[in-house]
Amino acid sequence: MATSVFAGGQPAAAIDLNTYMGRNQSLPAGPGAVQLDSRAAAGGQARVAGSWSASTSMPAMYYRGVAYQSAQIAPVGSGISSSSKTRRVGWRYSFLTAPPAGVHAYLCNYARCAGLGGVSGSTGAFEGDNGLSNFVFAFVIDGRGALTPALQGAAGQVMVSYE
């Protein structure tokens, strides 16, 4: 019999990037969509009760103008509960092949997607969200048509602090 490492229930599933895109596949805009610079200031310092880190494989991308997502990254550890609040989220991702110009990267949880300003960094965009939530990386490459050669994803990691 398998046991769960989650105290207080299952993690909230991450939302699909398409939720934030219009019919014409435009970039996210409006409430909940955040364009971030990875060097943005952290803001107020909160008491950190814990942190977790997990990794996943990045998707291979074959076409421009199509949203691609990683597998969901679930919280790891027994100290996280549904009453936990996310404070800061760090990320890093990589590709096996050189990315073409026009790659847009996002990190999404159950409530919002945040535009990533580079292959690594941290953000407060998810501050106050349920600490027991999954994350996904999502990517869109400008334009239309096949990518030749395909962009081969490598690995992605999130580091989440919560209280």
Side-chain angles (χ1 to χ4, degrees):
M1 180 173 178
T3 59
S4 174
V5 296
F6 305 111
Q10 293 297 314
I15 199 159
D16 189 294
L17 179 64
N18 289 322
T19 301
Y20 292 94
M21 299 179 77
R23 289 183 183 169
N24 65 355
Q25 298 285 314
S26 61
L27 295 178
V34 182
Q35 182 66 38
L36 297 173
D37 183 332
S38 62
R39 297 165 302 215
Q45 295 299 317
R47 178 184 62 83
V48 174
S51 63
W52 62 270
S53 175
S55 300
T56 190
S57 296
M58 294 291 95
M61 291 167 254
Y62 301 96
Y63 296 96
R64 295 177 178 277
V66 174
Y68 291 92
Q69 284 186 199
S70 69
Q72 292 199 25
I73 305 168
V76 177
S78 60
I80 309 163
S81 71
S82 58
S83 64
S84 297
K85 299 294 180 197
T86 300
R87 290 296 163 227
R88 195 102 185 123
V89 178
W91 78 86
R92 77 174 136 218
Y93 63 86
S94 60
F95 299 107
L96 294 176
T97 55
V103 175
H104 300 276
Y106 303 88
L107 185 61
C108 304
N109 73 356
Y110 68 93
R112 69 193 89 254
C113 289
L116 304 180
V119 297
S120 66
S122 67
T123 179
F126 304 102
E127 184 167 345
D129 288 352
N130 186 327
L132 188 64
S133 64
N134 292 349
F135 286 89
V136 295
F137 286 95
F139 301 92
V140 177
I141 303 171
D142 287 341
R144 300 275 182 243
L147 272 175
T148 307
L151 178 55
Q152 298 297 320
Q157 180 183 29
V158 294
M159 294 83 46
V160 180
S161 63
Y162 62 90
E163 67 175 51

